[in-house]
Amino acid sequence: MMKKVFFLLLLISTIVSCNSSKVFITPTVNLHRQAIDTLIDGKFVMAKIDSSYTLKLSFDTGATSSTINSITKIGGEKILTNKNHKVIHKNKSAIKKFTSIDYKSKSFNIHTSTSKNQKIIIYTMPAIEFQCHEILNSDGVLGLDAFAEAEKPQKVMLDYSNNVLKIFRDSIIPPEYIEVEAEFDNNKLFLFGNIAEKKRKLLFDTGNNTFLTLSKDINDKNKKLKNFPMKTLDLTANNDFSPHKTKLYQDVPVNIHGLPILKKSIISVTDKMKINTVGLPFINNYNWIIDFKNKKLYAKKIKEFDSKTFFDKLKTINEIAIAYNNNLIVIYSNSDDFKVGDIITEVNGKKVTEETICEIEQLLIDHRSDWSKLKIEKYSLTK
């Protein structure tokens, strides 16, 4: 399901999760060998739904189904009939009650993949929009179903050298590409690797903005590994916020089977993560060829990962807040004065309004190392 990024993780990192639901109709998916999709900012793809709605979707290989984060993006509830949708979940979030729907689209098209009767998961609650950072906003998720469910499976190339997505047309894999141990399962792709002397199965997840995330902590009996405890607030699949306790490890050797050992890394361990993942900051160091027909995966390294820059930035940040839907919410805090989920209502006598929110957010970013010199009014959204 849908995953979204918040601002802290453009600076540092984030942890998100995804789920899946059963498909209630068999789609017809066709791939186009001559076409190319641009990965906007390295992660977004433009899609057209039902021939009428052009949406910016986050390309998310960890999502088994494509999603739209608000029904308003494709015409509202008037598009629903008894034949083209099914309610799959009703729930209540910290924000409001919401429903998610399985929707049978008439057409779901990107340049490299077109489909009819494709299932899309839609949320009925309003989408969260980051009004000061358009680069963070998307209309939903393009899942791996766009390629995995093709009638004629093909090789799909994730070309991060040029930030494009395309069908790989050659019958022979170039010699500079290394085969990587992988498992294909229910529109999901898994890698295998040894991290901290333990073999782990890792979801290949371009929708996750951490380098590598583990569901269980590393056994560091001798206390030799550098780690940084932190609290963050993540935006979940249902447009809700969820607080997390996270520990970041620096430069733990990572041995993904088939690839050379990586000595530079950022490993995140979070209390609410159920699976291990490799995310986009790991994935985009390589170009990938995903062979859906033969269930094989190949990679070519294109750049070195720089963990030092990330941790240097982390050390300069004490608190971060981000503006969404006219709220200013604390998403990271390393002090006792603020906690993740706090809503800031006023700074230095200036109230947070639609007109002032971006100015105030920038003021807080400029003082991210120390908010103590600012007069801040707030209330808590979380317990």
Side-chain angles (χ1 to χ4, degrees):
M1 281 191 181
M2 184 188 65
K3 292 177 283 188
K4 228 176 180 182
V5 191
F6 50 73
F7 179 62
L8 170 65
L9 292 148
L10 290 182
L11 297 176
I12 322 173
S13 162
T14 189
I15 298 91
V16 286
S17 62
C18 67
N19 301 301
S20 63
S21 60
K22 294 182 179 179
V23 178
F24 68 98
I25 190 165
T26 302
T28 302
V29 181
N30 294 299
L31 304 182
H32 304 283
R33 293 169 62 85
Q34 306 297 325
I36 292 176
D37 281 293
T38 299
L39 289 168
I40 302 166
D41 296 318
K43 66 178 303 175
F44 300 106
V45 175
M46 301 305 298
K48 196 159 192 176
I49 315 297
D50 291 349
S51 303
S52 301
Y53 306 100
T54 300
L55 304 181
K56 175 186 169 187
L57 303 180
S58 175
F59 178 53
D60 185 352
T61 58
T64 58
S65 299
S66 297
T67 69
I68 297 172
N69 60 26
S70 175
I71 198 170
T72 59
K73 304 284 186 179
I74 57 170
E77 295 190 7
K78 67 181 182 182
I79 68 166
L80 302 179
T81 69
N82 291 332
K83 294 181 180 181
N84 74 355
H85 82 284
K86 178 174 69 174
V87 174
I88 55 172
H89 293 294
K90 286 188 176 181
N91 210 337
K92 186 176 182 180
S93 73
I95 302 172
K96 60 173 67 178
K97 291 181 180 179
F98 71 94
T99 301
S100 53
I101 294 169
D102 270 354
Y103 173 69
K104 181 184 70 174
S105 60
K106 297 174 185 176
S107 62
F108 186 110
N109 299 337
I110 59 175
H111 293 300
T112 50
S113 173
T114 58
S115 65
K116 296 179 180 178
N117 297 326
Q118 181 73 22
K119 183 200 75 172
I120 311 170
I121 297 172
I122 306 174
Y123 293 95
T124 58
M125 65 190 297
I128 287 179
E129 300 287 345
F130 298 102
Q131 59 213 85
C132 308
H133 306 278
E134 180 58 33
I135 191 174
L136 299 181
N137 292 322
S138 74
D139 300 310
V141 157
L142 174 69
L144 211 56
D145 53 328
F147 303 100
E149 296 178 359
E151 288 191 313
K152 296 180 179 180
Q154 304 272 349
K155 299 183 187 77
V156 176
M157 186 173 190
L158 311 186
D159 180 357
Y160 288 105
S161 296
N162 300 294
N163 278 334
V164 297
L165 180 64
K166 59 186 177 182
I167 306 304
F168 186 76
R169 291 177 286 174
D170 296 343
S171 58
I172 298 175
I173 302 295
E176 62 268 25
Y177 279 79
I178 301 170
E179 184 173 351
V180 180
E181 183 181 356
E183 177 183 305
F184 292 69
D185 180 28
N186 188 31
N187 293 357
K188 292 182 180 179
L189 176 59
F190 294 92
L191 309 185
F192 295 87
N194 288 75
I195 298 111
E197 300 181 352
K198 184 176 180 180
K199 184 176 181 179
R200 303 173 195 262
K201 183 177 179 179
L202 303 130
L203 180 67
F204 185 92
D205 189 0
T206 57
N208 191 319
N209 290 278
T210 58
F211 183 86
L212 192 151
T213 304
L214 299 179
S215 60
K216 295 182 179 180
D217 204 354
I218 292 173
N219 186 3
D220 184 23
K221 292 182 180 179
N222 297 322
K223 307 295 182 183
K224 291 183 177 180
L225 301 176
K226 293 181 182 179
N227 69 81
F228 302 83
M230 59 193 297
K231 295 179 181 179
T232 62
L233 198 68
D234 299 343
L235 180 59
T236 63
N238 56 23
N239 288 341
D240 197 3
F241 285 103
S242 175
H244 287 274
K245 293 180 180 179
T246 301
K247 188 185 292 184
L248 301 181
Y249 287 91
Q250 182 176 0
D251 296 339
V252 176
V254 174
N255 179 15
I256 300 298
H257 297 173
L259 297 175
I261 294 176
L262 299 173
K263 295 182 179 180
K264 298 291 184 180
S265 69
I266 301 169
I267 295 180
S268 307
V269 181
T270 179
D271 58 338
K272 296 181 181 179
M273 197 69 175
K274 295 181 179 179
I275 58 174
N276 305 318
T277 70
V278 289
L280 188 60
F282 168 87
I283 292 169
N284 66 15
N285 292 289
Y286 302 84
N287 287 342
W288 302 86
I289 298 174
I290 307 173
D291 186 347
F292 286 100
K293 181 179 180 180
N294 298 301
K295 310 296 184 186
K296 291 182 179 294
L297 178 68
Y298 304 89
K300 181 183 77 169
K301 193 167 187 178
I302 57 173
K303 63 181 180 180
E304 295 291 336
F305 180 69
D306 179 13
S307 59
K308 184 178 183 299
T309 298
F310 169 86
F311 283 103
D312 286 347
K313 286 182 179 179
L314 178 63
K315 293 171 184 176
T316 69
I317 299 172
N318 208 41
E319 293 100 1
I320 284 288
I322 190 169
Y324 81 97
N325 295 13
N326 294 326
N327 290 295
L328 194 54
I329 189 168
V330 178
I331 61 170
Y332 172 73
S333 177
N334 195 31
S335 74
D336 296 330
D337 297 324
F338 298 89
K339 62 182 180 180
V340 293
D342 282 353
I343 300 292
I344 294 174
T345 58
E346 184 178 310
V347 177
N348 290 349
K350 181 173 288 189
K351 293 188 179 298
V352 175
T353 66
E354 184 176 357
E355 291 74 26
T356 65
I357 194 167
C358 291
E359 176 190 349
I360 295 175
E361 184 203 78
Q362 187 59 53
L363 177 65
L364 294 173
I365 291 172
D366 291 342
H367 290 79
R368 59 188 176 272
S369 63
D370 184 9
W371 283 357
S372 65
K373 297 179 181 179
L374 303 175
K375 186 179 179 181
I376 298 175
E377 301 292 333
K378 63 181 175 64
Y379 68 90
S380 293
L381 183 65
T382 58
K383 294 181 180 180

